[in-house]
Amino acid sequence: MLDQSGLAHEEIEALFENGVITAEITDSLDAMALTDELLSRIDKGELVMEYAREYQGPIVIAKLNQGYVITMPNLQAQEMNDLLNRQKATLFLTLMIGSILIFFAVAMIVKPIKAVTEATKKVAQGNFDMRLEVKGEDELAVLARNFNLMTQALSSNDYIHRDFVSNVSHEFKTPIASIKGFGKLLKDPDLSEIKRQEYVDIIVEESERLGQLSANVLKLSELENGVAGLKKEPFSLDEAIRRVVLLLQEQWEKKELELEVDLSEMMMVGDQALIDQVVINLVTNAINYTHQGGRIGLKLTESRSEIKLEIWDSGMGIDASDLTRIFDRFYKADQSRNTPGTGLGLTISQRIMLLHGGEISVSSELGKGSRFSVCFPKG
């Protein structure tokens, strides 16, 4: 249009009468809020596109020989209406398709979350056998996998808890039944004094056993739940072991046992009261499972990395099938229960050693005795 020289304003406007673009001629641009830069560019002959509120849309401004021409979309033209309608239809269709896709996407995400929610409710009700189906490698699959690990651990802990309660009930029931039974026998007026004294001794023995069992169960619970905090202090380990041997002197002298003690001077850092408990448990076991007139020994040595205490005996020994279970709660290798004890001593000792970063190992041969090795890390 600008290349056509000598066109009158009316002729220029007539060029746009029926098209999708319409034109307007004006002598001045003062009524429009244009910057000086835009006005300068227009006066130099540039075509300038700008959004104009006055025209409610984009416009293109050009300089004529006299005045200015402003072109803009012809909103009244059929082609423009068709274009706008197509845009509206496209926008509507896009929104519809997007909404449907979002609906299915949310449904796919919400479904496994609902499954986790329902499974969590069942776990809260005590059903620890719940397992979720794991598909893919996304975050929801990781969540399901971790949920299964949690329920597996809870199921295992629940089994251990029930087994523990069952064993505790059984262990408590036996001495209580003995005390009750012999207490009834003592009511017999015709009971001889010898029998009466025998029954009283049994009641006292069972009462002591019950008290020891209660104390051991409490100690084990404190250790496993972190209630019994460690008081790590330096102390003489060899002197602590000697005190334990003297403390148990009445027991090993009663069985006429021969003691072999080889203790090197040794300082260590730890909870002395708990370490004393380990030594007491192991030496007491050695005494209980050694025949009259047998031998027990204690040897304390050290290496660059650890301190090692060995406690051995010439007693009945432990069967190979029992070696893997002797650290279990309430397990006793002597199933006849002829030997004293609650079956918790080794469990408590192992827990104490784990708290100190150490370990207990055992080697034994049936009929030839056992050897327990207690290793403490240095430092």
Side-chain angles (χ1 to χ4, degrees):
M1 179 199 68
L2 294 177
D3 288 341
Q4 301 295 323
S5 59
L7 289 176
H9 290 178
E10 294 78 6
E11 293 175 313
I12 293 174
E13 292 178 349
L15 294 174
F16 297 92
E17 281 184 358
N18 299 317
V20 295
I21 301 297
T22 186
E24 177 182 313
I25 307 298
T26 180
D27 296 331
S28 173
L29 299 177
D30 294 340
M32 302 182 64
L34 298 176
T35 64
D36 293 339
E37 180 189 357
L38 290 177
L39 291 172
S40 175
R41 289 170 54 193
I42 293 170
D43 288 336
K44 291 179 180 179
E46 290 187 30
L47 293 175
V48 174
M49 179 178 287
E50 183 69 12
Y51 181 87
R53 290 186 178 180
E54 298 87 341
Y55 297 95
Q56 298 181 349
I59 62 173
V60 175
I61 306 173
K63 176 113 170 75
L64 299 174
N65 292 331
Q66 292 182 353
Y68 303 89
V69 61
I70 302 173
T71 56
M72 67 209 77
N74 185 4
L75 299 179
Q76 303 301 319
Q78 183 62 39
E79 292 88 344
M80 184 58 68
N81 287 332
D82 292 343
L83 175 63
L84 292 176
N85 290 334
R86 284 196 296 271
Q87 287 180 332
K88 291 178 182 179
T90 303
L91 178 61
F92 177 76
L93 184 61
T94 302
L95 290 175
M96 284 293 296
I97 295 175
S99 298
I100 294 172
L101 292 176
I102 290 174
F103 174 79
F104 283 107
V106 170
M108 292 176 63
I109 295 174
V110 170
K111 184 177 179 180
I113 292 177
K114 285 184 177 179
V116 173
T117 302
E118 292 301 320
T120 304
K121 290 180 181 178
K122 292 182 180 180
V123 170
Q125 295 170 357
N127 183 3
F128 301 132
D129 296 325
M130 285 297 304
R131 298 293 186 271
L132 293 175
E133 185 178 357
V134 180
K135 292 182 178 179
E137 295 294 333
D138 57 6
E139 289 79 2
L140 290 173
V142 173
L143 175 62
R145 193 175 292 110
N146 290 336
F147 179 89
N148 291 341
L149 290 175
M150 179 193 71
T151 53
Q152 183 178 355
L154 287 173
S155 179
S156 177
N157 289 337
D158 182 59
Y159 172 78
I160 293 173
H161 172 72
R162 292 180 183 179
D163 184 59
F164 179 71
V165 171
S166 175
N167 287 330
V168 168
S169 301
H170 181 269
E171 292 295 329
F172 272 86
K173 184 168 62 177
T174 303
I176 290 173
S178 296
I179 293 171
K180 182 179 179 181
F182 286 105
K184 288 181 178 180
L185 291 175
L186 288 174
K187 292 182 177 181
D188 186 358
D190 300 327
L191 191 66
S192 66
E193 186 59 31
I194 296 176
K195 284 291 184 182
R196 188 181 304 276
Q197 190 60 45
E198 180 183 347
Y199 295 164
V200 169
D201 290 341
I202 292 175
I203 291 175
V204 171
E205 182 180 337
E206 290 298 310
S207 299
E208 290 177 349
R209 178 184 169 194
L210 191 59
Q212 183 183 6
L213 179 62
S214 301
N216 284 343
V217 169
L218 179 60
K219 173 62 72 175
L220 183 60
S221 178
E222 290 176 347
L223 291 171
E224 291 187 337
N225 291 282
V227 177
L230 289 181
K231 300 177 182 177
K232 288 193 173 184
E233 297 175 345
F235 67 95
S236 175
L237 181 58
D238 57 297
E239 285 299 323
I241 296 172
R242 289 189 182 93
R243 283 194 298 270
V244 171
V245 173
L246 291 176
L247 178 67
L248 301 175
Q249 182 175 357
E250 182 181 351
Q251 297 183 30
W252 54 264
E253 283 186 345
K254 184 178 179 180
K255 297 188 73 170
E256 300 178 345
L257 300 179
E258 178 185 346
L259 258 69
E260 296 182 15
V261 180
D262 181 11
L263 305 176
S264 304
E265 291 187 6
M266 204 78 63
M267 293 293 296
M268 75 165 290
V269 177
D271 191 316
Q272 183 174 349
L274 293 180
I275 297 300
D276 286 350
Q277 184 70 54
V278 173
V279 180
I280 290 172
N281 290 342
L282 295 178
V283 175
T284 300
N285 278 355
I287 295 172
N288 292 337
Y289 287 91
T290 301
H291 304 295
Q292 189 80 16
R295 293 182 299 122
I296 62 175
L298 296 93
K299 185 177 182 179
L300 183 62
T301 57
E302 69 173 329
S303 64
R304 287 186 176 182
S305 60
E306 65 181 13
I307 299 170
K308 186 176 184 180
L309 170 63
E310 293 180 281
I311 301 175
W312 57 269
D313 62 71
S314 62
M316 61 181 69
I318 304 172
D319 189 83
S321 61
D322 294 320
L323 281 176
T324 58
R325 302 187 59 192
I326 58 174
F327 293 102
D328 294 346
R329 297 180 181 94
F330 301 110
Y331 188 79
K332 297 177 67 175
D334 182 10
Q335 298 296 331
S336 66
R337 301 185 182 271
N338 291 327
T339 54
T342 61
L344 285 175
L346 288 178
T347 307
I348 292 174
S349 299
Q350 185 187 53
R351 184 60 184 169
I352 291 173
M353 290 305 300
L354 288 175
L355 290 175
H356 282 82
E359 62 177 1
I360 302 178
S361 58
V362 58
S363 60
S364 183
E365 188 175 348
L366 203 60
K368 294 186 179 181
S370 305
R371 181 182 295 270
F372 284 83
S373 298
V374 182
C375 298
F376 304 91
K378 279 189 172 180

